[in-house]
Amino acid sequence: MAGDGNSIPELEQEKYDSDEQVKIICLGDSAVGKSKLMERFLLDGYRPQQLSTYALTLYKYTTTINGKPVLVDFWDTAGQERFQSMHPSYYHKAHACIMVFDVQRKVTYKSLSNWYKELREYRPEIPCLVVANKIDADMRVTQKSFNFAKKQGLPFYFVSAADGTNVVKVFKDSINMALSYKKNSSDFMDEVMRELENFELESKEDSSDKGEKPNEGKTDLV
Ligand SMILES: Nc1nc2c(ncn2[C@@H]2O[C@H](COP(=O)(O)OP(=O)(O)OP(=O)(O)O)[C@@H](O)[C@H]2O)c(=O)[nH]1
Ligand SMILES: [Mg+2]
């Protein structure tokens, strides 16, 4: 996936720099219902684009917010999550994340902390919504407490892709959060990360100028 992503128009992530486009990613174990949730939300006229080489489906959604058109790309995986880890380009320039587990399978709830850890490595600041899916199978689960979201201070939703409960709410909230993140802090954080990287490289170059052994503590720049 790395390297030639720019040659595929759908993967040109620079477009997310423009005001009216946001990228929202979906994380969670296999079979928790990520794709079904997207399809439920986009029921009318969604356009899934299967990029099988990239193990990725992009769902494009257009909406109007405050009188302005907004294009949302929902990114869904096809398989990578089985390896419990995503390629970095999946996270690149994402503005929000919907993290899903299956209320009927405890193991998928336990995995949330790993997904969240990986998300924060790449996107330390983006809004993340936690979604407990498949409540239609047994409504009693809504009486249980799932503390992961509360502990991390994240919004939490009980949903069902099968009967539609709360699906529109989750997706609309995610779009609003993505937009407000983009407006307020994303560019700033990205800028800071870039500055830090440059700073690190410069200080390494500096120390080698001062007669340190060439390869000591250095990372190759090529
Ligand atoms: N009862 C019930 N079943 C659901 C619900 N959402 C999804 N499922 C079922 O769960 C299975 C997995 O759903 P998917 O949407 O394919 O799951 P996924 O997370 O996209 O899985 P991968 O693409 O393998 O990562 C399917 O058989 C769905 O029919 C739900 O809300 N209720
Ligand atoms: Mg899927």
Side-chain angles (χ1 to χ4, degrees), residues 64-69:
T64 307
I65 294 182
N66 298 331
K68 283 190 193 150

Side-chain angles (χ1 to χ4, degrees), residues 99-149:
M99 212 162 65
V100 186
F101 72 99
D102 174 349
V103 277
Q104 306 299 326
R105 284 189 297 139
K106 204 170 176 181
V107 61
T108 67
Y109 175 68
K110 291 202 160 164
S111 295
L112 291 182
S113 55
N114 290 333
W115 287 118
Y116 191 62
K117 191 163 159 260
E118 185 168 284
L119 170 71
R120 288 307 181 217
E121 276 166 25
Y122 294 105
R123 303 300 279 151
E125 301 271 301
I126 63 170
C128 175
L129 301 81
V130 181
V131 166
N133 189 33
K134 307 197 188 181
I135 57 163
D136 58 282
D138 180 1
M139 286 300 284
R140 284 172 304 177
V141 292
T142 57
Q143 305 305 315
K144 283 193 196 162
S145 54
F146 294 94
N147 284 326
F148 174 80

Side-chain angles (χ1 to χ4, degrees), residues 1 5 9 24 46 58 60 69 71 84 132 147 151 164 178 204 209:
M1 198 186 256
I24 299 178
Y46 75 89
L58 294 186
K60 292 185 174 292
L71 185 66
Q84 299 291 310
N147 284 326
K151 263 197 226 154
K204 276 175 186 161
D209 285 349

Side-chain angles (χ1 to χ4, degrees), residues 174-192:
S174 74
I175 296 169
N176 285 324
M177 288 178 200
L179 283 167
S180 86
Y181 167 78
K182 189 171 184 180
K183 217 156 90 211
N184 299 323
S185 60
S186 69
D187 294 343
F188 174 71
M189 267 317 288
D190 288 346
E191 198 59 37
V192 170

Side-chain angles (χ1 to χ4, degrees), residues 153-169:
L154 305 172
F156 178 77
Y157 305 78
F158 282 113
V159 311
S160 164
D163 69 16
T165 306
N166 263 341
V167 174
V168 171
K169 169 129 186 69

